[in-house]
C-alpha cells in the first residue's frame, strides 16, 4: 500500500506545472504591479510571518500579480529587475487549483524572490530544472520515503498531499540558506 502511494506521488509530481526563475527579464524594465494582489495577500502574510519566526527580516517588498504567462507549463515567475523583484502568477492555473496549491506555489516563488533560493534541497544539492526532474525515473536523493520532494523548492509545484504531509518540514526548509532581500 505504501509503495502504491509513493508511485502515485511520483506520477503526480510529473504533471506539467512548473516554476521558472528569471534572473533578468529583459521584457520587464519596471514592475507591472503595485503591491500584492489581494488574492495572494493571505499567503504572503503567512510567508512573512513564518520568516519572522525564523528571525529573517526582509528590507524590500516583492510585488505580485496575475496574468496569462503563456510559457509552456510555467505557472509562476520570480522576476529580478535592476531595482525590483516581482512575481507573476498564471491566472488560469490559479483559477483551477486548490488553496493548498496556491500556498505551495506562492511559498515557492516567494522563496525565490525573498530568499534567492534555487531549485535545491540542500547546500550544493540541486534538483535541476523541471525538464530534468520529469526525465528522472529513479528518485534517489532529495525525496522523503513517501516520494514527496524534501523541499518546497522542487521545480514542479508539490502536490496537495505532499504539501499537507510535510507542511512543517517545507516551512522550515524554505528558509534554509535564505539571503534576505
Amino acid at each position: 500500500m505504501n509503495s502504491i502511494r509513493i508511485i502515485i506521488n511520483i506520477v503526480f509530481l510529473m504533471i506539467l506545472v512548473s516554476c521558472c526563475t528569471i534572473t533578468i527579464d529583459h521584457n520587464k524594465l519596471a514592475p507591472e504591479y503595485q503591491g500584492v494582489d489581494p488574492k495572494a495577500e493571505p499567503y504572503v502574510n503567512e510567508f512573512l510571518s513564518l520568516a519572522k519566526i525564523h528571525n529573517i527580516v526582509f528590507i524590500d517588498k516583492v510585488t505580485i500579480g496575475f496574468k496569462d504567462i503563456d510559457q509552456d507549463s510555467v505557472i509562476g515567475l520570480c522576476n529580478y529587475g535592476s531595482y525590483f523583484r516581482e512575481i507573476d502568477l498564471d491566472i488560469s492555473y490559479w483559477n483551477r487549483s486548490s488553496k493548498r496549491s496556491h500556498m505551495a506555489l506562492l511559498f515557492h516563488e516567494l522563496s525565490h524572490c525573498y530568499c534567492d533560493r534555487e531549485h535545491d534541497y540542500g547546500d550544493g544539492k540541486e534538483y535541476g530544472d523541471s525538464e530534468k526532474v520529469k526525465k528522472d525515473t529513479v528518485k534517489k536523493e532529495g525525496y522523503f520515503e513517501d516520494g514527496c520532494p524534501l523541499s518546497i523548492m522542487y521545480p514542479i509545484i508539490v502536490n496537495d498531499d505532499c504539501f499537507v504531509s510535510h507542511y512543517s518540514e517545507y516551512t522550515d526548509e524554505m528558509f534554509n540558506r535564505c539571503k534576505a532581500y
Side-chain angles (χ1 to χ4, degrees), residues 19 23 45 57 65-67 83 119 122 127-128 145 147 154 172 181:
C19 143
T23 306
N45 291 341
V57 178
F66 291 88
K67 66 195 243 180
Y83 65 93
H119 291 142
Y127 283 114
E145 285 186 21
Y154 194 65
D172 279 341
Y181 173 62

Side-chain angles (χ1 to χ4, degrees), residues 6 11 17 19 39 49 53 76-77 93-94 110 128 144 154 178:
I6 292 171
V11 169
V17 290
C19 143
K39 292 185 289 291
S49 176
I53 291 168
L77 293 165
Y93 173 80
W94 189 270
L110 289 165
F144 290 106
Y154 194 65
C178 181

Side-chain angles (χ1 to χ4, degrees), residues 55-103:
N55 297 314
I56 296 173
V57 178
F58 302 109
I59 296 168
D60 294 304
K61 299 284 184 198
V62 173
T63 54
I64 302 172
F66 291 88
K67 66 195 243 180
D68 288 317
I69 293 179
D70 195 30
Q71 285 186 25
D72 297 325
S73 59
V74 175
I75 58 173
L77 293 165
C78 172
N79 301 284
Y80 289 61
S82 58
Y83 65 93
F84 70 94
R85 291 187 188 177
E86 182 166 81
I87 295 173
D88 294 323
L89 299 170
D90 187 75
I91 190 66
S92 299
Y93 173 80
W94 189 270
N95 288 337
R96 71 178 193 283
S97 60
S98 70
K99 289 182 180 186
R100 290 179 182 146
S101 293
H102 297 167
M103 185 177 288

Side-chain angles (χ1 to χ4, degrees), residues 3 11 13 38-39 77-78 105-107 115 117 119 125 129 135-136 142-143 159 161-162 164 169 176 178:
S3 61
V11 169
L13 291 171
K39 292 185 289 291
L77 293 165
C78 172
L105 172 59
L106 266 164
F107 281 9
C115 291
R117 284 289 305 272
H119 291 142
K125 297 181 178 185
D129 65 15
K135 290 177 187 173
D136 287 345
Y143 301 87
N159 68 45
D161 288 339
C162 289
V164 169
E169 290 99 332
N176 289 349
C178 181

